[in-house]
Amino acid sequence: MARVPKILGVIGPKGGVGKTTISANLAIALTRAGANVVAMDLDLGSANLHVVFGLRNVRHTLDDFLVNKVASLDAVVMDTAVPGLKLIAGGNVPGIASLPYQRKVKLLRHLRKLDCDYLLLDLAAGVTNNVVDFALIAQKSLLVTTPDVPSLMSLYSFLKTSVYRRLQLLFRSSGDARLLALLENAGDAEAHPELKTMADFFTQAALIDPELAERGAKVLARFDPLILVNRVKTASDMKAGRAISNLMDQFLGLHRGEILSIREDAAVGAAAARMQPALLSAPDCGFALDMRKLAGALGAASE
Amino acid sequence: MDKLFAAPGPGQSPLAVVFSPDVIRGNITSRKLRHEGLSAVLFDRVGDAVDAACAGATRVFVFDTAGALADELRFLSRVCDAWPENLALLIVLGDQPPELPGPAHGGDVRVLRDPLDLERVASLAKQACAGRPAQPVQPAQLGRSGQSEQTRGAEESDLEAELKDFLRLT
Ligand SMILES: Nc1ncnc2c1ncn2[C@@H]1O[C@H](COP(=O)(O)OP(=O)(O)OP(=O)(O)O)[C@@H](O)[C@H]1O
Ligand SMILES: [Mg+2]
């Protein structure tokens, strides 16, 4: 039987927090642990994952598949210099950044058929429909943030949108307009302070439709993201992960967030300047160590 | 007047006035200024912000144009036309700032494309305020966020409390 890849979404709604850097280096760390990996650039419109790997010009990109220039996703999978690691580069077709739903479904179908152990999705910044939907594809979400307040706030907004989207999809498919309306009210905290937390929401929802409310709660209970606090410099930076996971717990009904910190490392910038991932040019640097730890936390065997 | 934060005590006007159509972003900016020791007041109504900036000792007016309405943007040129004598600096935030007439009275206008470039806003504001004897900031005016950098982060939940505040989860 063909293996089905474990899909990892590298998510970070604030721009420049390190999604692409982490995607590239984690992909290498996973292959070094013996896995077959495909890293895919889903930053449609401003793709740059291939650049991190030192590839300036790529013959085929994901766009070719999305605009039906090639029939199969396999046609856009490229080899890299790292054994076991393949890459799907993103293109830069204008307008493609907002993909119609049908295209996303088609893409998802093909993604599941890729022959690898891990499929890593490098997502775009922002909280657009595309990003939120692609993030839902992932079995494991890696939430990347830096320790600063704007990045943490963007992450919270993203998670809130994502929670609502998950519930919305469930309630829609169950055809329950009352729970959809209640969910909409919960989104307007000013007007509905009584629905401030997800716990409040589920209490009210259970009065309307206990069975569906419970299914909704289960959807959230399954969500077990890994919070990656990147560019950590000081001990107090480490608190950022705890702060956001507490908010997720208290307000969003997300109780399973785990935290891992990734240090700020000059080797990362130096490697980027040479268009090489730090794991290749400085395999013993602190950042590389953190990447191996992350690969281990994701279930890859150690070297 | 629809102020989102308490103004400095009676008879005092803030060194910095912040207008932002986005409460959360405005909140972050004014917090940052207060962390830097400048009394700052946030407004979400442009008319009130302009009134405050034109009065008393206000040295810096931060005007966030990202998401602002055309009616709100018109107030910007009004400030430049009738530049108040007390004002040293107008910081315009946003990547599509409107064209502005040059300010009178030797005032200065700076445009920062990133509306969340906090470090830059803070350093420009501090420079502008340094020209005048700085008003001592009363601890009572500052609230929790006015703690000094040294005490900030002393307790585990400080960042969390700050996030809650910004996200209006309190
Ligand atoms: N741990 C780290 N230490 C030092 N520099 C880092 C670290 N992580 C990322 N950087 C640097 O931060 C910058 C932004 O990183 P990157 O492009 O990976 O972010 P991104 O989240 O993918 O951005 P975008 O939202 O634009 O896609 C790069 O210059 C990268 O070298
Ligand atoms: Mg990126």
Side-chain angles (χ1 to χ4, degrees):
Chain A
M1 209 178 81
R3 58 186 159 181
V4 178
K6 177 162 185 181
I7 304 183
L8 309 173
V10 183
I11 300 162
K14 176 113 200 302
V17 291
K19 297 176 285 295
T20 302
T21 306
I22 290 172
S23 299
N25 288 285
L26 172 60
I28 297 172
L30 287 168
T31 60
R32 292 284 151 85
N36 280 300
V37 182
V38 175
M40 169 161 172
D41 196 338
L42 270 176
D43 192 348
L44 307 179
S46 51
N48 69 336
L49 184 60
H50 57 285
V51 179
V52 178
F53 284 104
L55 305 169
R56 237 175 260 274
N57 296 306
V58 287
R59 204 147 54 91
H60 285 299
T61 70
L62 180 62
D63 291 351
D64 297 339
F65 173 75
L66 293 175
V67 302
N68 296 323
K69 234 198 248 172
V70 297
S72 149
L73 199 53
D74 289 323
V76 299
V77 177
M78 298 186 298
D79 285 322
T80 67
V82 182
L85 173 59
K86 292 180 194 259
L87 178 71
I88 299 179
N92 287 298
V93 172
I96 211 155
S98 69
L99 214 56
Y101 189 70
Q102 282 315 315
R103 289 274 174 88
K104 283 185 247 189
V105 173
K106 175 185 160 193
L107 180 61
L108 176 59
R109 245 193 355 256
H110 282 75
L111 288 180
R112 293 227 168 97
K113 283 192 248 160
L114 284 171
D115 181 29
C116 59
D117 300 306
Y118 290 95
L119 170 62
L120 244 141
L121 310 178
D122 176 19
L123 291 174
V127 191
T128 60
N129 282 341
N130 247 3
V131 176
V132 173
D133 286 345
F134 284 143
L136 290 184
I137 294 176
Q139 277 132 314
K140 186 82 177 175
S141 297
L142 310 183
L143 306 172
V144 185
T145 180
T146 43
D148 55 288
V149 169
S151 172
L152 292 165
M153 287 181 48
S154 309
L155 181 55
Y156 183 88
S157 307
F158 173 86
L159 287 166
K160 189 169 170 190
T161 306
S162 174
V163 160
Y164 279 61
R165 181 85 172 130
R166 279 164 204 257
L167 293 179
Q168 198 186 42
L169 290 172
L170 171 71
F171 297 157
R172 264 202 206 136
S173 67
S174 318
D176 195 319
R178 294 165 307 166
L179 285 200
L180 275 173
L182 186 71
L183 187 65
E184 197 161 307
N185 287 344
D188 186 356
E190 306 260 290
H192 295 276
E194 78 284 3
L195 293 172
K196 191 169 192 170
T197 68
M198 270 302 155
D200 295 336
F201 170 80
F202 284 120
T203 308
Q204 299 278 329
L207 299 176
I208 301 172
D209 185 338
E211 195 256 340
L212 188 54
E214 190 171 335
R215 276 171 60 203
K218 279 197 183 134
V219 166
L220 299 194
R222 273 199 298 273
F223 187 57
D224 61 342
L226 190 53
I227 302 161
L228 302 179
V229 184
N230 187 25
R231 312 199 72 156
V232 166
K233 292 194 232 36
T234 63
S236 90
D237 285 348
M238 308 235 208
K239 291 179 188 155
R242 181 54 52 208
I244 192 82
S245 89
N246 284 349
L247 295 189
M248 287 160 65
D249 185 54
Q250 277 178 52
F251 295 96
L252 299 178
L254 305 174
H255 310 301
R256 297 177 58 191
E258 282 182 48
I259 307 161
L260 222 125
S261 52
I262 300 171
R263 68 200 95 172
E264 166 84 21
D265 192 329
V268 175
R274 274 181 279 155
M275 286 175 77
Q276 260 210 344
L279 241 83
L280 296 185
S281 59
D284 298 319
C285 71
F287 174 82
L289 233 91
D290 292 338
M291 287 297 109
R292 285 195 280 271
K293 204 162 133 196
L294 173 57
L298 292 168
S302 55
E303 278 171 80
Chain B
M1 196 154 68
D2 193 15
K3 278 188 302 248
L4 298 171
F5 283 98
Q12 291 180 310
S13 51
L15 281 174
V17 165
V18 178
F19 162 71
S20 177
D22 180 316
V23 171
I24 291 180
R25 205 166 50 232
N27 206 331
I28 294 179
T29 309
S30 49
R31 283 287 184 115
K32 174 69 182 176
L33 293 174
R34 273 178 265 147
H35 279 169
E36 301 289 333
L38 304 180
S39 52
V41 182
L42 169 65
F43 295 85
D44 66 350
R45 283 205 220 150
V46 69
D48 295 338
V50 171
D51 286 349
C54 293
T58 296
R59 301 283 291 160
V60 181
F61 185 11
V62 182
F63 194 119
D64 181 358
T65 64
L69 306 169
D71 277 345
E72 291 171 328
L73 292 177
R74 266 194 280 284
F75 277 85
L76 258 183
S77 19
R78 263 195 242 170
V79 172
C80 292
D81 282 336
W83 191 270
E85 217 168 319
N86 54 287
L87 198 64
L89 176 64
L90 169 64
I91 302 177
V92 181
L93 304 178
D95 60 357
Q96 283 171 326
E99 295 242 335
L100 292 177
H105 300 306
D108 195 8
V109 179
R110 294 297 185 90
V111 177
L112 303 183
R113 297 174 66 86
D114 176 359
L116 270 176
D117 190 350
L118 300 179
E119 297 304 326
R120 191 91 185 102
V121 170
S123 83
L124 287 171
K126 277 201 290 195
Q127 273 169 30
C129 291
R132 285 268 172 97
Q135 278 183 324
V137 184
Q138 305 300 319
Q141 284 163 219
L142 291 173
R144 193 184 44 73
S145 67
Q147 296 166 20
S148 68
E149 289 298 323
Q150 287 88 320
T151 57
R152 232 155 48 85
E155 59 201 274
E156 180 75 13
S157 62
D158 194 43
L159 175 62
E160 193 180 322
E162 200 161 333
L163 278 171
K164 273 190 195 163
D165 229 22
F166 287 148
L167 291 161
R168 310 205 126 193
L169 294 172
T170 41

